[in-house]
Amino acid sequence: MSRFTIYQDNYADTTIVSNLFIDEYMKDANDAQIKIYLYLLRMMSAHKATSVSDIADKFNHTEKDVMRALKYWEKNNLLALEYNEDRTLCGIRLLDVTSRSENDVLPLTKIVSMPVTVSKKDIAGRSITEEPAVRTAAETADPFAKPSYSLDELKEFKNNEETSQIIFVAEQYIGRPLTAPEMKTILFFSDRLHFSADLIDYLFQYCVEKGKRDFRYIEKVAISWAQEGISTPAQAARYAAKYDKNVYDIMKALGKSSIPTKAEADYAMKWVREYGFTSDIIMEACERTVLATDKHRFEYADSILKSWHENHVKHKADIRTMDEAHSRKPAAKTAPRNGQFNQFMHTDYDFDTLEKEILSN
């Protein structure tokens, strides 16, 4: 079939979208973020002013949703938000991405010729607050660092109708009134991580269902989701499904209570899916690992399970057969070990050498 050309008769009423935006930025954004950015381009092309409330009305979003989308694009250096002295949003600068490669970070001083203006009266008297003017160097360098919010910022957050509902929902999940630091953590989810109310709701539901009500744990989960670019409950559910019950059972068996890292989860899922080991065999390897070392336990357990996989272990009886074969070998010239460790560590490889190798890496 022959190729065809796409064209139109009149280019006068058009909005130009950078190919870089389509190729590199659009795939990671949600529907609301894409709609709002394209609408800003359209308004700029027409030299028209708009407002947060106008955008919210047009797309049936809340003003909070609009601000969250604007901050998302600001974080990605596609626009810059401008504020007046009382920290009210008064303008939007769309940044030039046409000369940017995918690894470039464009300075905020390079702008397109026409800013999109938002006046105070357009925001219906609401004060839209950006991040506090003073940030530490660590907060500036790390986009997932929790800022030191002021009491005024917390008060504004609590007094907003939508965000006060988020606090109420969180209190229902936690089962008690929240402290000021805990409310600042929820402000962090909304303000810095750009979580929607629905995603924050799902975050608390997810953690509480796991029996975790500690805010430090909840914050770690939230940051891990943000680092993965998660912006909806559906995305969070798919992400959480990757770390199924097997992963957390293995974490517990190896003496770990933290959120599994990607490397730890990859190890666990390899043992289950690639090696095809049942839970009892994996738990046996974990038990031997805990008795042998308190460092690099995933690497240590992986060496055990890799050996069993190579020796076609399918049942615990196969492990006993390997142990018995090992016990019939001539004793090593080194002094034997006493105690429980020596009773468990019967395999066809040298765990002392293995541990030294792992610890040296």
Side-chain angles (χ1 to χ4, degrees):
M1 184 177 292
S2 62
R3 290 181 173 273
F4 55 83
T5 301
I6 302 173
Y7 65 96
Q8 66 183 42
D9 293 332
N10 181 13
Y11 288 92
D13 186 21
T14 59
T15 298
I16 306 299
V17 181
S18 166
N19 287 336
L20 186 64
F21 172 79
I22 297 172
D23 295 340
E24 302 297 335
Y25 292 92
M26 195 167 69
K27 65 181 185 297
D28 296 322
N30 61 35
D31 290 347
Q33 291 160 351
I34 294 172
K35 287 178 181 178
I36 289 169
Y37 183 76
L38 293 178
Y39 184 69
L40 292 177
L41 289 179
R42 185 262 181 276
M43 297 302 288
M44 182 204 68
S45 299
H47 301 281
K48 293 182 178 180
T50 188
S51 70
V52 171
S53 58
D54 286 346
I55 298 173
D57 291 342
K58 185 170 186 65
F59 296 107
N60 196 27
H61 294 320
T62 65
E63 293 186 12
K64 185 75 173 180
D65 291 332
V66 175
M67 286 303 303
R68 188 178 294 112
L70 294 177
K71 289 181 179 181
Y72 172 83
W73 291 123
E74 184 178 44
K75 183 177 73 172
N76 283 276
N77 289 331
L78 292 190
L79 58 81
L81 303 179
E82 298 177 341
Y83 297 84
N84 59 22
E85 292 181 355
D86 64 359
R87 306 300 295 162
T88 300
L89 182 65
C90 63
I92 301 172
R93 294 186 296 164
L94 295 181
L95 307 181
D96 182 9
V97 299
T98 56
S99 61
R100 193 185 321 183
S101 71
E102 61 181 282
N103 295 321
D104 289 337
V105 177
L106 190 70
L108 294 182
T109 54
K110 187 173 183 180
I111 63 175
V112 295
S113 58
M114 181 64 189
V116 179
T117 302
V118 182
S119 65
K120 281 181 77 173
K121 64 180 180 180
D122 287 330
I123 309 179
R126 281 189 72 230
S127 174
I128 307 298
T129 304
E130 171 67 322
E131 279 103 13
V134 178
R135 295 291 187 217
T136 66
E139 291 168 356
T140 302
D142 183 1
F144 305 109
K146 183 165 66 175
S148 300
Y149 292 108
S150 67
L151 291 178
D152 288 339
E153 289 175 298
L154 179 59
K155 182 178 179 180
E156 181 178 357
F157 182 72
K158 289 173 59 180
N159 290 341
N160 179 276
E161 182 177 352
E162 181 183 2
T163 52
S164 65
Q165 182 67 22
I166 296 175
I167 293 175
F168 173 78
V169 169
E171 289 178 336
Q172 303 311 302
Y173 280 118
I174 300 301
R176 57 172 174 76
L178 302 184
T179 64
E182 289 170 342
M183 284 187 278
K184 287 182 180 180
T185 298
I186 298 178
L187 171 56
F188 165 59
F189 298 159
S190 174
D191 171 60
R192 181 57 67 91
L193 301 186
H194 310 297
F195 279 15
S196 66
D198 287 343
L199 185 55
I200 295 175
D201 186 319
Y202 182 78
L203 170 67
F204 278 93
Q205 176 186 336
Y206 171 81
C207 293
V208 170
E209 286 179 353
K210 288 188 167 299
K212 303 291 187 179
R213 288 179 165 81
D214 180 75
F215 262 73
R216 287 173 296 180
Y217 180 92
I218 296 171
E219 183 178 329
K220 287 180 179 179
V221 173
I223 291 174
S224 71
W225 288 1
Q227 290 172 334
E228 292 293 326
I230 290 170
S231 59
T232 67
Q235 291 173 338
R238 288 194 295 270
Y239 177 74
K242 294 193 304 182
Y243 303 106
D244 60 13
K245 186 174 183 296
N246 287 315
V247 177
Y248 288 95
D249 286 346
I250 291 169
M251 290 284 290
K252 183 177 179 180
L254 290 175
K256 293 180 174 286
S257 59
S258 59
I259 300 293
T261 65
K262 183 179 185 303
E264 291 170 340
D266 287 346
Y267 273 124
M269 299 319 297
K270 177 175 74 172
W271 303 336
V272 174
R273 295 175 182 172
E274 181 181 338
Y275 291 171
F277 284 139
T278 55
S279 176
D280 59 337
I281 292 178
I282 296 174
M283 291 300 111
E284 176 72 16
C286 291
E287 184 175 358
R288 296 185 181 206
T289 297
V290 170
L291 290 170
T293 182
D294 59 358
K295 296 179 180 179
H296 305 282
R297 284 181 171 176
F298 270 90
E299 292 87 345
Y300 204 101
D302 184 61
S303 296
I304 297 174
L305 290 164
K306 181 180 179 181
S307 174
W308 290 351
H309 178 66
E310 291 171 348
N311 283 276
H312 309 290
V313 167
K314 300 296 182 183
H315 307 284
K316 290 189 72 173
D318 298 330
I319 301 173
R320 289 194 294 271
T321 299
M322 287 181 61
D323 289 344
E324 290 169 359
H326 178 78
S327 66
R328 290 194 293 269
K329 290 182 178 181
K333 294 182 179 180
T334 56
R337 291 194 175 200
N338 296 320
Q340 192 176 21
F341 172 74
N342 195 43
Q343 296 172 14
F344 273 90
M345 305 311 295
H346 294 298
T347 60
D348 56 354
Y349 47 87
D350 187 342
F351 275 95
D352 287 336
T353 303
L354 172 62
E355 183 169 10
K356 289 178 182 177
E357 180 180 346
I358 292 173
L359 294 178
S360 67
N361 292 333

